Amino acid sequence: TAKTGKILFEDTRGSVSLQKISDPSIQANHPINLEPALLTQLLTGIELHDEGGGEHHVRGFQSLIEGKAATYPLFSEDQIQFLAPLLAEGLRTATVNQSVEFHVVTTQEGSNRFQSPTTETTTGSLYAYGRQLYVILTQYLYNPMLTNLAFTETSHRSQDPLDYSGLKYRTLRFTPKAALRTDSPDPPTMGKPTDRFLAVDYQLLQQAWRNLEAKRHAAPQVGGEALEAARATEAQARNTAALAQEVETLKKQLESIQKQLGSQNQQQ
């Protein structure tokens, strides 16, 4: 975190801080009160799309082998639970010229007992402007050890500069698409060509999730009604079968009585 920033929270999982927006023309709508649930929806919807390029891009090779590009969530569920309330707090306390910066640390366990765990860092920032939430991603799963290894391998090829961001061959996507502002009139100023950003209309995002929740709540209800109808049909079938059995029993009893009366008349 830069010395000019104010750290709101920091532990082994990462940190969230307030940083000065580098573009003085941007006057953010801060402070702004957005619920952590909305920030959870925002973080859940962000995905990385792998373009399948780069010599040292493992996912790129996997995509080429599979014949399709990979799209996957940017954050894990644990990272979302960690970030959402802190980002909401940051937006509540930020000023018009501050953004909320985040660092998320991912720990990768060693493949064997002789290999020590490694850490990878994902870095970005967030600010509100108009009805949009701008998410800027500057680094994805940065690992200094792997970067040093890559530098050793490519030191003789100056035409292939290292990608310290992990984003050179990746783009950002968002779900639901209805909330994504692809035609944002005020795109943020990018510090590096590898920086990636999304502009999400948070009002449309709220509405889209309300519609989704309504469908989820309606689905069990419809299923319950169908189950009750099936049970009623089954009960009706059982009643009909029981009634038919009783009629058949009465019919046999009547036939038996008729035979007995016929036998008595013959004897007389």
Side-chain angles (χ1 to χ4, degrees), residues 23-81:
D23 187 349
S25 66
I26 295 178
Q27 296 290 298
N29 292 2
H30 300 160
I32 184 172
N33 188 15
L34 297 177
E35 293 297 324
L38 177 63
L39 275 302
T40 297
Q41 296 162 6
L42 175 73
L43 299 176
T44 302
I46 302 176
E47 298 174 322
L48 274 176
H49 177 70
D50 200 306
E51 301 294 342
E55 181 180 359
H56 302 284
H57 202 188
V58 177
R59 285 186 181 271
F61 282 120
Q62 291 175 345
S63 300
L64 290 174
I65 293 173
E66 295 172 0
K68 61 180 180 180
T71 302
Y72 40 93
L74 174 62
F75 300 107
S76 67
E77 290 186 9
D78 291 341
Q79 291 172 339
I80 292 172
Q81 292 177 4

Side-chain angles (χ1 to χ4, degrees), residues 69-104:
T71 302
Y72 40 93
L74 174 62
F75 300 107
S76 67
E77 290 186 9
D78 291 341
Q79 291 172 339
I80 292 172
Q81 292 177 4
F82 167 69
L83 282 176
L86 295 175
L87 294 180
E89 177 63 22
L91 292 172
R92 281 194 296 267
T93 56
T95 62
V96 294
N97 61 352
Q98 287 180 321
S99 63
V100 184
E101 185 173 292
F102 58 85
H103 296 261
V104 180

Side-chain angles (χ1 to χ4, degrees), residues 5-255:
K6 176 183 178 182
I7 297 177
L8 299 179
F9 184 86
E10 184 176 23
D11 67 6
T12 56
R13 295 170 293 177
S15 66
V16 172
S17 62
L18 300 181
Q19 299 291 335
K20 185 176 181 180
I21 298 176
S22 58
D23 187 349
S25 66
I26 295 178
Q27 296 290 298
N29 292 2
H30 300 160
I32 184 172
N33 188 15
L34 297 177
E35 293 297 324
L38 177 63
L39 275 302
T40 297
Q41 296 162 6
L42 175 73
L43 299 176
T44 302
I46 302 176
E47 298 174 322
L48 274 176
H49 177 70
D50 200 306
E51 301 294 342
E55 181 180 359
H56 302 284
H57 202 188
V58 177
R59 285 186 181 271
F61 282 120
Q62 291 175 345
S63 300
L64 290 174
I65 293 173
E66 295 172 0
K68 61 180 180 180
T71 302
Y72 40 93
L74 174 62
F75 300 107
S76 67
E77 290 186 9
D78 291 341
Q79 291 172 339
I80 292 172
Q81 292 177 4
F82 167 69
L83 282 176
L86 295 175
L87 294 180
E89 177 63 22
L91 292 172
R92 281 194 296 267
T93 56
T95 62
V96 294
N97 61 352
Q98 287 180 321
S99 63
V100 184
E101 185 173 292
F102 58 85
H103 296 261
V104 180
V105 177
T106 302
T107 302
Q108 302 289 354
E109 298 295 333
S111 58
N112 55 62
R113 61 176 181 169
F114 302 106
Q115 193 174 42
S116 59
T118 59
T119 59
E120 300 171 335
T121 306
T122 297
T123 305
S125 60
L126 169 74
Y127 67 88
Y129 186 79
R131 280 178 36 175
Q132 281 74 248
L133 285 171
Y134 286 90
V135 181
I136 303 171
L137 191 64
T138 56
Q139 204 166 56
Y140 177 66
L141 296 183
Y142 170 67
N143 185 323
M145 184 181 298
L146 294 181
T147 301
N148 291 334
L149 289 174
F151 177 77
T152 302
E153 293 176 5
T154 61
S155 59
H156 63 284
R157 293 193 295 271
S158 59
Q159 71 276 12
D160 185 20
L162 289 176
D163 176 22
Y164 292 96
S165 69
L167 296 170
K168 185 176 180 180
Y169 301 103
R170 292 180 170 111
T171 57
L172 287 179
R173 293 187 175 183
F174 189 78
T175 302
K177 291 183 179 180
L180 184 63
R181 288 295 303 273
T182 56
D183 58 341
S184 176
D186 301 292
T189 302
M190 299 289 100
K192 300 187 297 293
T194 53
D195 288 355
R196 303 288 182 258
F197 87 94
L198 286 172
V200 178
D201 188 316
Y202 59 84
Q203 292 185 5
L204 292 179
L205 177 61
Q206 284 179 321
Q207 186 60 47
W209 276 87
R210 283 182 190 139
N211 294 341
L212 182 60
E213 287 299 317
K215 290 180 180 179
R216 287 176 178 172
H217 287 300
Q221 184 176 1
V222 172
E225 292 176 354
L227 181 60
E228 289 300 324
R231 288 174 177 172
T233 302
E234 183 180 359
Q236 184 178 5
R238 288 177 180 174
N239 293 336
T240 302
L243 181 60
Q245 187 174 2
E246 290 180 4
V247 170
E248 185 66 22
T249 301
L250 290 173
K251 183 179 178 181
K252 290 181 179 179
Q253 290 177 350
L254 180 60
E255 290 176 352

